[in-house]
């Protein structure tokens, strides 16, 4: 007998794949439009699998990575759908977040898209976007968001990025954008540095209002907001001149980004703890970074 949530799981996974295809197409078009003698970057696509001790099927995904492009130094757009039984540590972590029934039935299913872009031009900000759905026999929820990570900040870029997020979230309630913005400000703060890793965006987790359709629609609009929030900034900044000083600033900021993802990021911890492909999980790390 099929689970009544199976159709909803399929819809969510299909949406994440559709969004991935849209973003990959847009990013390759941006590479083509940049005047440069070097070849335009292209995504390398690799299938990934979730590892289990007994070798059973536990799902996987598709890792799409572009390196050394005209505009993108490194960008990854990954999708995955994984399932199986959570280990003891993951069960404990989920129970601590208030997920019921983990000891009685540790089965789970999770699907999502994860994107991180590190740019050639230091005037072009790095960016992160992730949306996901998680299911257990006793609970379900959505999570994710989008945040901008410039090493050289421009107030007008920050204003544009946030304005697009606010516009796409507005149909879901006036209070939602301020709530998710504040959540992003808190989530992407680096305690040991006493600062945020970027200029924020929106973020949510454990989203279960009791209305699956409404929460799925919200998750879709967070994903739909990404390209109109980000691409105009890159179009404006990609042709700006830069030199050694700007590159040094960029590499130091990337060190900050790497610290956050390795020490605090919930998705990185979950992916490594549950046996997902380590290269896919660590795709977010920059190709080069430095520390002072």
């Amino acid at each position: 007998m099929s689970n009544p949530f199976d159709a909803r799981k399929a819809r969510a996974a299909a949406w994440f794949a559709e969004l991935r295809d849209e973003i990959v197409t847009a990013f390759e078009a941006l590479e083509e439009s940049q005047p440069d003698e070097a070849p335009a970057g292209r995504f390398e696509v690799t299938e990934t699998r979730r590892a289990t001790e007994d070798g059973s099927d536990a799902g996987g995904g598709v890792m799409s990575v572009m390196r050394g492009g005209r505009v993108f130094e490194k960008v990854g757009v990954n999708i995955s759908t994984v399932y199986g039984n959570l280990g003891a540590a993951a069960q404990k972590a989920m129970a601590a977040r208030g997920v019921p029934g983990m000891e009685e039935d540790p089965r789970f299913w999770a699907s999502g898209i994860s994107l991180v872009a590190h740019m050639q031009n230091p005037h072009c900000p790095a960016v992160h976007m992730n949306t996901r759905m998680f299911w257990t026999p006793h609970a379900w929820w959505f999570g994710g968001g989008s945040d901008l990570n410039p090493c050289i900040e421009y107030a007008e870029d920050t204003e544009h990025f946030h304005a697009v997020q606010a516009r796409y979230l507005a149909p879901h309630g006036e209070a939602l954008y301020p709530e998710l913005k504040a959540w992003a400000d808190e989530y992407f703060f680096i305690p040991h540095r006493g600062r945020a890793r970027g200029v924020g965006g929106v973020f949510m987790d454990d989203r279960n209002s009791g209305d699956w359709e409404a929460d799925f629609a919200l998750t879709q609009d967070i994903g739909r907001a990404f390209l109109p929030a980000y691409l105009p900034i890159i179009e404006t900044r990609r042709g700006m001149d830069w030199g050694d000083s700007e590159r040094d600033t960029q590499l130091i900021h990337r060190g900050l980004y790497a610290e956050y993802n390795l020490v605090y990021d919930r998705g990185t911890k979950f992916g490594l703890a549950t046996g997902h492909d380590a290269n896919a999980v660590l795709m977010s790390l920059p190709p080069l970074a430095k520390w002072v």
Side-chain angles (χ1 to χ4, degrees):
M1 182 177 180
S2 63
N3 187 294
F5 248 84
D6 285 349
R8 290 177 174 179
K9 292 176 184 177
R11 285 174 59 196
W15 157 251
F16 298 135
E18 180 182 334
L19 181 60
R20 174 262 177 204
D21 292 346
E22 181 181 353
I23 292 171
V24 164
T25 298
F27 280 2
E28 289 191 339
L30 186 63
E31 281 284 308
E32 288 282 1
S33 67
Q34 173 72 10
D36 197 312
E37 293 182 359
R42 288 288 181 269
F43 281 94
E44 298 178 5
V45 180
T46 306
E47 290 189 3
T48 62
R49 305 302 301 173
R50 175 175 173 255
T52 58
E53 293 183 0
D54 61 3
S56 60
D57 179 26
V62 177
M63 178 171 64
S64 302
V65 180
M66 181 196 304
R67 299 178 177 86
R70 296 172 178 174
V71 180
F72 300 94
E73 187 170 0
K74 178 187 176 186
V75 54
V77 189
N78 294 353
I79 53 172
S80 65
T81 298
V82 295
Y83 41 82
N85 292 327
L86 290 172
Q91 290 178 43
K92 183 177 180 180
M94 289 295 175
R97 288 167 54 186
V99 179
M102 294 309 306
E103 292 184 359
E104 293 82 3
D105 192 336
R107 288 178 297 156
F108 83 101
W109 177 97
S111 184
I113 177 173
S114 180
L115 175 155
V116 176
H118 298 287
M119 314 306 288
Q120 295 281 14
N121 191 323
H123 295 285
C124 292
V127 73
H128 158 260
M129 188 275 292
N130 166 271
T131 59
R132 56 190 178 273
M133 175 189 162
F134 202 99
W135 172 92
T136 75
H138 300 279
W140 58 265
W141 65 90
F142 290 94
S146 183
D147 65 294
L148 197 66
N149 297 271
C151 65
I152 301 171
E153 295 183 17
Y154 293 93
E156 58 269 36
D157 294 352
T158 302
E159 181 180 358
H160 167 79
F161 190 82
H162 280 275
V164 174
Q165 306 291 338
R167 186 171 75 247
Y168 274 78
L169 266 60
H172 303 278
E174 293 182 3
L176 193 57
Y177 166 72
E179 175 188 341
L180 299 193
K181 178 185 181 300
W183 200 337
D185 290 341
E186 178 181 357
Y187 183 75
F188 295 112
F189 187 80
I190 305 175
H192 69 268
R193 295 294 186 183
R195 60 156 293 177
R197 77 174 188 185
V199 296
V202 295
F203 180 78
M204 66 178 185
D205 211 350
D206 302 336
R207 177 76 181 186
N208 182 336
S209 68
D211 185 336
W212 188 91
E213 292 291 348
D215 292 345
F216 182 40
L218 168 61
T219 303
Q220 289 177 299
D221 277 339
I222 290 174
R224 292 186 182 109
F226 172 73
L227 287 175
Y230 187 59
L231 286 187
I233 296 173
I234 303 308
E235 293 283 5
T236 299
R237 304 294 172 198
R238 64 180 180 171
M240 294 179 66
D241 293 334
W242 58 278
D244 291 342
S245 176
E246 290 84 0
R247 178 62 166 173
D248 195 59
T249 298
Q250 181 188 52
L251 294 180
I252 291 172
H253 186 80
R254 285 180 177 178
L256 187 75
Y257 194 95
E259 288 178 20
Y260 176 86
N261 279 35
L262 291 173
V263 176
Y264 300 110
D265 185 72
R266 182 180 288 181
T268 300
K269 291 179 178 180
F270 179 83
L272 294 176
T274 56
H276 195 53
D277 186 291
N279 289 328
V281 175
L282 298 175
M283 170 273 296
S284 62
L285 296 179
L288 294 171
K290 69 180 294 185
W291 285 261
V292 295

